[in-house]
């Protein structure tokens, strides 16, 4: 395994670059020097890292939707609507599934079909096919910073084109865009692909261009315990900073219990700073992003707004820098622009009402923070041991050993031995620990709380609880109580 966490050398980067820019005709429009000049021509109001820094300093929580459609003019119309009618503080361009799999020929067919039929036949914006000039048209058509949101294991060409196109933030990572999104792609290969992405951004940073990076926190979005998602987020932060990234937004997907989720938001930046320092990496700007519930949603729109609101409350009380907004069409599919804007307005109403409130420190909150810190440190320390100090090598070995194990992940590189279930207060605990390196005191903490739920529900803790929890929110509950 020639994988290493060390910064990619220039020769290797340039060798890959020739291949990457040749993967689709639009790659030929990318010129690094010209793109640096274009990025530097952008007003500060369009630089993601600048606005994030301002929000962090002021203790604000910003709202950002997901959104993407096939054709450029419709995509611009959609983003402007979400900015003007939704009040979005940041805008996305959610990339379609074909592009995420580097299937640009099918993306092209989707564009042509959409133009013919008059509606989007893709589930996102095919940025590679549209190319650099089209991305710049998007950036120049809106007033707020724009981010690339996707799920791409090999995201090298997408990064080249969208960053040259003026996007100032790039989501994803070699773990978080592999394990939840692929079945048969090795972790080593995607870590390497993403080291290219992060090295490209490092080269922009060396030219004075700020590009923020946002590892994908929620992973499978299904009962992922904070320690697992935090371990992945911190590792992807380490991998990115090692390649020259200097601005990170670390993410976490809502689990649903307020105390646990606020504890997760408090501890994530603490852990990132701790491990970046431990590895002697430079200090970087760290912000947080909270994803409103990523699991199954109620079909009923009023109930969906309830779920959206609960996520907004948690983001506000947990002082996340940014919250990713869901829509009342979540259970149905790609939302209309009206539904998407409504989700943002609902969220911003709550963010504004709660901006002067915080959740007080209580013994329960302190205990949750202590547990998340202990659990995540146990995982990260084992990863570094396995890698003999190299976080990249350690990550590959940690997945092989089941030390990092993401619940309900499709990847065959994921052990899939751990089993999460909610305790009686709705906090996500582990019913089965698999091979995650938790000591007896941590295990007892989880076992006792799940046992208490069993007593409350008059049933033995079992896989049935997990199934009930997965369907619970769609049925209007949080904890999947038996009939
Ligand atoms: C990470 C998965 C989330 O992204 C959302 N999503 C995916 N594609 C789009 C899209 N094109 N427009 C709006 N939301 C989208 C989807 O609803 C889900 O909540």
């Amino acid at each position: 395994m020639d994988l290493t966490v060390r910064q990619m050398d220039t020769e290797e980067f340039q060798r890959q670059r020739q291949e990457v820019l040749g993967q689709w005709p639009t790659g030929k429009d990318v010129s690094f020097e010209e793109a640096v000049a274009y990025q530097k021509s952008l007003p500060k109001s369009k630089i993601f890292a600048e606005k994030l820094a301002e929000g962090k300093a002021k203790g604000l929580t910003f709202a950002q939707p997901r959104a993407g459609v096939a054709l450029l003019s419709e995509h611009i119309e959609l983003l402007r609507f979400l900015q003007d009618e939704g009040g979005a503080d940041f805008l996305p361009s959610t990339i379609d599934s074909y592009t995420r799999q580097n299937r640009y020929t099918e993306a092209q067919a989707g564009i042509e079909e959409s133009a013919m039929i008059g509606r989007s036949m893709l589930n996102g914006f095919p940025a590679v096919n549209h190319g650099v000039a089209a991305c710049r048209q998007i950036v120049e058509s809106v007033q707020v910073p724009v981010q690339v949101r996707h799920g791409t294991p090999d995201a090298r060409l997408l990064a080249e084109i969208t960053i040259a196109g003026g996007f100032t933030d790039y989501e994803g990572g070699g773990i978080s865009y592999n394990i939840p999104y692929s079945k048969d792609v090795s972790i080593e290969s995607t870590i390497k692909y993403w080291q290219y992405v992060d090295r490209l951004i490092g080269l922009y940073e060396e030219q004075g261009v700020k590009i923020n990076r946002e590892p994908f926190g929620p992973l499978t979005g299904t009962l992922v315990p904070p320690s697992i998602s935090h371990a992945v987020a911190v590792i992807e932060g380490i991998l990115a900073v090692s390649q020259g990234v200097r601005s990170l937004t670390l993410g976490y997907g809502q689990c649903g219990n307020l105390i646990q989720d606020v504890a997760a938001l408090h501890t994530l930046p603490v852990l990132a700073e701790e491990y970046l320092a431990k590895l002697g990496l430079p200090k970087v700007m760290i912000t947080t992003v909270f994803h409103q519930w990523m699991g199954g949603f109620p079909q009923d729109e009023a109930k969906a707004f309830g779920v959206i609101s609960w996520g907004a409350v948690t983001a506000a009380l947990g002082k996340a820098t940014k919250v990713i907004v869901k829509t009342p069409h979540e259970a149905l599919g790609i939302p209309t622009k009206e539904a998407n804007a409504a989700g943002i307005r609902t969220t911003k109403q709550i963010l504004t009402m709660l901006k002067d409130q915080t959740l007080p420190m209580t013994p329960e909150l302190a205990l949750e923070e202590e547990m998340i810190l202990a659990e995540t440190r146990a995982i990260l320390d084992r990863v570094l041991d396995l890698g003999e100090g190299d976080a990249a090598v350690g990550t590959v070995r940690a997945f092989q050993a089941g030390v990092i194990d993401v619940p309900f992940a499709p990847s065959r590189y994921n052990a899939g031995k751990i089993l999460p279930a909610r305790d009686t207060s709705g906090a996500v605990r582990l019913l089965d620990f698999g091979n995650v390196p938790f000591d007896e005191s941590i295990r007892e903490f989880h076992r006792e709380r799940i046992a208490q739920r069993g007593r409350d529900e008059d049933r033995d803790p079992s896989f049935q609880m997990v199934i009930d929890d997965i369907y619970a929110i769609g049925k209007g509950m949080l904890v999947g109580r038996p009939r």
Side-chain angles (χ1 to χ4, degrees):
M1 177 191 307
D2 63 353
L3 179 65
T4 169
V5 70
R6 283 194 308 279
Q7 189 168 100
M8 183 185 290
D9 64 40
T10 308
E11 296 68 43
E12 173 55 20
F13 179 81
Q14 291 303 347
R15 184 193 65 75
Q16 285 194 43
R17 194 154 202 257
Q18 291 316 310
E19 173 214 328
V20 167
L21 294 181
Q23 288 170 343
W24 194 255
T26 49
K28 72 179 179 316
D29 303 329
V30 176
S31 149
F32 181 72
E33 294 71 23
E34 188 273 341
V36 165
Y38 180 77
Q39 279 277 353
K40 285 185 163 180
S41 75
L42 294 173
K44 194 174 170 187
S45 60
K46 292 192 181 179
I47 309 299
F48 233 95
E50 298 287 0
K51 188 163 182 177
L52 285 167
E54 183 193 330
K56 179 177 180 179
K58 294 178 179 172
L60 300 177
T61 299
F62 292 121
Q64 180 182 10
R66 296 182 174 96
V69 289
L71 301 181
L72 177 60
S73 52
E74 282 76 356
H75 186 67
I76 289 174
E77 180 197 350
L78 168 60
L79 295 189
R80 295 178 77 160
F81 188 87
L82 298 178
Q83 172 189 271
D84 299 336
E85 301 307 319
D89 298 303
F90 291 114
L91 286 169
S93 282
T94 300
I95 304 299
D96 71 286
S97 295
Y98 286 127
T99 303
R100 297 181 184 197
Q101 298 300 316
N102 313 117
R103 293 164 60 177
Y104 309 120
T105 304
E106 283 114 316
Q108 191 58 40
I111 292 170
E112 284 151 20
E113 208 182 341
S114 303
M116 197 162 53
I117 292 182
R119 67 182 178 84
S120 181
M121 300 306 285
L122 296 174
N123 63 351
F125 181 71
V128 170
N129 291 68
H130 283 302
V132 174
C135 290
R136 291 183 180 179
Q137 236 183 287
I138 295 169
V139 169
E140 290 161 14
S141 300
V142 297
Q143 279 75 48
V144 301
V146 192
Q147 176 189 38
V148 193
R149 301 192 72 89
H150 49 117
T152 309
D154 178 358
R156 295 175 294 173
L157 181 56
L158 179 64
E160 287 279 7
I161 285 174
T162 53
I163 295 169
F167 288 64
T168 56
D169 193 316
Y170 201 72
E171 188 189 24
I175 306 164
S176 61
Y177 271 3
N178 176 338
I179 295 299
Y181 284 93
S182 306
K183 179 167 184 52
D184 207 4
V185 183
S186 78
I187 297 172
E188 181 178 347
S189 66
T190 49
I191 286 180
K192 285 179 177 173
Y193 289 142
W194 278 85
Q195 285 177 319
Y196 176 98
V197 170
D198 289 328
R199 187 69 206 110
L200 172 67
I201 288 167
L203 291 169
Y204 273 100
E205 286 279 355
E206 288 165 19
Q207 299 298 319
V209 174
K210 291 177 184 282
I211 305 290
N212 189 67
R213 283 276 290 108
E214 179 185 325
F216 178 59
L219 301 174
T220 57
T222 310
L223 302 174
V224 180
S227 58
I228 297 291
S229 63
H230 281 17
V232 171
V234 171
I235 290 168
E236 289 196 346
I238 291 166
L239 297 178
V241 173
S242 299
Q243 297 304 324
V245 164
R246 291 292 176 265
S247 180
L248 283 175
T249 300
L250 298 179
Y252 168 73
Q254 179 178 20
C255 283
N257 172 280
L258 178 64
I259 302 294
Q260 183 176 50
D261 287 339
V262 169
L265 283 167
H266 288 172
T267 50
L268 182 50
V270 169
L271 287 158
E273 283 165 13
E274 179 181 317
Y275 278 84
L276 286 169
K278 185 181 281 193
L279 293 167
L281 288 165
K283 274 194 172 304
V284 299
M285 186 185 67
I286 293 175
T287 51
T288 56
V289 56
F290 184 77
H291 295 249
Q292 293 178 357
W293 176 245
M294 294 292 283
F297 251 66
Q299 299 237 2
D300 175 276
E301 293 204 11
K303 291 180 180 177
F305 279 115
V307 178
I308 289 166
S309 299
W310 187 228
V313 167
T314 308
L317 293 180
K319 294 289 172 214
T321 319
K322 188 172 86 167
V323 58
I324 305 298
V325 178
K326 282 292 171 99
T327 82
H329 288 180
E330 179 60 21
L332 310 176
I334 302 298
T336 61
K337 64 180 188 294
E338 292 79 7
N340 208 338
I344 305 169
R345 289 199 304 275
T346 295
T347 297
K348 291 198 72 167
Q349 174 72 26
I350 285 178
L351 295 178
T352 311
M353 291 197 303
L354 291 185
K355 71 178 172 53
D356 304 310
Q357 299 183 47
T358 51
L359 200 65
M361 183 50 73
T362 57
E364 292 77 14
L365 178 55
L367 177 58
E368 284 300 335
E369 292 188 10
E370 185 191 326
M371 293 312 297
I372 293 170
L373 290 171
E375 292 173 10
T376 313
R377 284 170 180 147
I379 295 170
L380 290 172
D381 290 345
R382 181 67 58 80
V383 168
L384 293 174
D385 285 348
L386 287 169
E388 295 160 271
D390 184 313
V393 174
T395 296
V396 173
R397 293 174 180 165
F399 272 96
Q400 286 166 343
V403 164
I404 307 177
D405 189 344
V406 178
F408 312 109
S411 172
R412 70 179 183 80
Y413 293 89
N414 186 69
K417 289 189 167 59
I418 69 168
L419 203 51
R422 293 187 186 280
D423 68 17
T424 208
S425 71
V428 173
R429 307 300 180 198
L430 287 179
L431 190 60
D432 189 326
F433 298 94
N435 294 332
V436 291
F438 291 168
D439 66 20
E440 194 44 37
S441 67
I442 292 174
R443 290 170 180 244
E444 189 46 35
F445 175 82
H446 287 252
R447 270 197 290 268
E448 175 39 40
R449 278 158 179 71
I450 290 181
Q452 181 58 50
R453 172 180 177 184
R455 291 191 289 274
D456 291 353
E457 296 178 357
D458 193 21
R459 63 173 168 169
D460 292 336
S462 73
F463 187 69
Q464 188 57 49
M465 285 183 174
V466 183
I467 296 169
D468 294 342
D469 289 342
I470 286 172
Y471 289 100
I473 288 185
K475 292 178 177 172
M477 302 182 279
L478 178 67
V479 184
R481 303 296 188 193
R483 288 280 161 270

